[in-house]
Each structure stands twice: as C-alpha cells, then as structure tokens.
Amino acid sequence: MSDDESYALRLTNVSRRFGSRDVLSNVTLSVPAGKITCLLGESGCGKSTLLRLISGVDRPDRGMIEMAGVEIAGPSRFVEPEDRKIGFMFQDFALFPHLDVTDNLSFGLRALSRSEQDVRVTDVVERIGIEHLADRFPHSLSGGEQQRVALARALAPEPDILLMDEPFSNLDQGLRERVRKETVDTLRKIETTAIMVTHDPQEALAVGDLIVLMRNGAIEQIGSPFDIYDRPASPYAAEFMGPCNRLTGIWSEGAISTPIGRFHADLDIPDGSMAMACIRPQALTLGPDGDGISARIIGKTFMGESEQIDISVHPLAEPLRVHHHERIAMAVGEKVGLRLNGAQVHVFADFNPLSQS
C-alpha cells in the first residue's frame, strides 16, 4: 500500500481567519482510510470550521487539503463540494419532510439513471437494515430511525469520506448510545472513512480509531483513544479527557515530590523546577484511618455506579476528589486513610491553569 492509499485525506498547514480572529492555525493532519477519526474539543475550538473546509463549503486562507494525494483546496486548485465525493451527515438529520424514505435516499442520486438509483437505494437500505422504513415519511419515524435514514442517505452516493457533525447530540441518552453503536458498527463493517465532530470525550473514546484533540484553532494532540487517555501530551489534554486532581511540587532526581507521594516521569527539566502531577480520581483509594495518608471526608455525591468523594489532606489548599465503585460507609467529617492504587499518574513540566482562557 502506498502512502497516498493509506490516508484518505491530508491537511497541510491549513489556516482560516474570520475578521481579526484566527479560527484555525496551521492545522496539519492525516486521516487514515477506512477508519473513524474524531475531531474533539470545546465549542469554538475550530473543529466544525475544519469540517466545512474539508467538505468544500468554505475555503482555507492558507495551506492545502488533499484527497488520496490529489489537491482539492489550496494555492493551485479548488474542487467544488459536489465534485469531492464527500458525504455529510447533519446534526438535525435534514430529511425532506415531503418525501418518503426511498425518495429521500434517491435525492442525491439524480445524476444516475432511474434503474441505477433503484439499485443503489436497495443496496444501502439492505446494508443499513431499514427495508421496513422504505415507504415511511420522516414525521412517522422515531429519532433513531431518522438517524439511520440520514446515515443511509449520506452513504447512498458512495462517498469516499463521510463527515458527521455531532450526529448523535439530538438523541436522548439511552437512544444515543444504542444508535451510536449501530452506526459505528455499520461504518466499520463497510470500512467507511469517516470524520466525526464531537465535544464529548467519552464519545470520542468509544467511537474513534484516531482522536484529534483541538484547542483554540490548533491541534493539541493526535493519537489513538489509549494514547490520548493514557499518555496525554499536556495538562490540558489530561484534564479534557477526564477530571484530574492537580498537585504542584518540586522536581528532583527524575520525580516530583507532593504531599501525597513522589512520582517519577521522563521530563527534561532541571532539579528544583516546579512541576505538576495530574492524578485521576479513580487512582485514589480510601480506607480506615491509619491505613495510608491521613485525610478527612468533606463531601460525598452518589452517582449510581460510583460515589464521588471529596477529601481534605494537609497541607493541600484544595480538596482531592476520589471516585469509588465500592460503597464507603464513612460519613462526611470522618477521618480516612488515603492510598494510591497503582493507576498511572501524569506528570508535566507545565503547571499553568488548564482552562483555555
């Protein structure tokens, strides 16, 4: 397989500016063929703008976009959206209310003969498993059924790349997880190259083969779900993927010293420098007072499958947060013992605040 064949899409130093604001700054990204890539980040970080540039409804100010090694947007060429073989699945499904499911699927196939349209619609209906919906109108479909029809319509023209902008956000939680799994299973089965925008890190971890974490119009980190979660490249990446307890300390002899322990890491900073440890709530365990570091429970929140417990530890100014899957009988105000359970602690030279501001 050649390099161009292994990547369906390449972006090189892509930038977009609206007025005086840089919405995207020098974004370079390779999207693997036949995989699901998730663009993840907070609102306003540039992920939807990036999707618009890829689809062709907007143009980059600088940089180049290539599909299968062919330039589709850049200094020497711009390919119109209808000529890019890129499908788009909208957040609100955007089904035509006056057309039944079959006619909705046929709408984007008007360049084909009627017989070719029929073959294509029959094929995609069978692949998505919506034969029983073929004669129905959108108003008579549930949210999950509308989502499957929208997916079928996006796939009917046989696009080389499918773009999805927050495709499950309009569904209720229980339905969202089921429909998301069905959609992802379908995309993997037919080996579709898909790029999905989401602001939800848990969704990105569940769906993406590759996650592109964005921040302020730039890429913060690119990697597999395990890379992003287990090996965050920055304090921002660590906290965005899940809550963290942040502890600053002095770096010495390859480790940071904190009030709850000394944590080793591979950092190239001089001894005596300040560093920061990010400790996830599930990395901490509570036991009886005397078993571990002395702490006191100052708050408890029952979350169903787990319990969130806030504890104070001398001399820390801020409380630590612990997630326990076992019920803790101790009440607010009681003293407990705090231990680390061996889960990974992330250590960074940068200990600035983790917000975007």
Side-chain angles (χ1 to χ4, degrees), residues 22-76:
D22 288 318
V23 180
L24 293 172
S25 302
N26 297 316
V27 171
T28 295
L29 169 66
S30 295
V31 174
K35 304 293 184 180
I36 300 174
T37 297
C38 285
L39 302 181
L40 172 66
E42 297 177 346
S43 297
C45 71
K47 55 190 186 295
S48 291
T49 298
L50 192 57
L51 217 62
R52 289 169 58 83
L53 297 181
I54 294 169
S55 69
V57 299
D58 194 11
R59 299 186 182 213
D61 293 318
R62 296 186 306 277
M64 183 168 63
I65 303 174
E66 300 169 281
M67 279 183 66
V70 178
E71 182 178 337
I72 60 171
S76 61

Side-chain angles (χ1 to χ4, degrees), residues 99-117:
L99 300 179
D100 65 17
V101 168
T102 297
D103 288 338
N104 260 283
L105 301 187
S106 301
F107 188 83
L109 306 175
R110 288 171 294 176
L112 304 179
S113 68
R114 187 67 208 184
S115 60
E116 289 174 320
Q117 290 181 33

Side-chain angles (χ1 to χ4, degrees), residues 280-295:
R280 299 203 184 278
Q282 60 268 30
L284 302 174
T285 300
L286 300 180
D289 185 27
D291 182 12
I293 299 166
S294 181

Side-chain angles (χ1 to χ4, degrees), residues 295-300 310 330-336:
R296 187 179 300 276
I297 296 177
I298 59 174
K300 298 176 73 174
D310 294 325
M330 302 153 189
V332 172
E334 288 191 43
K335 294 185 70 175
V336 293

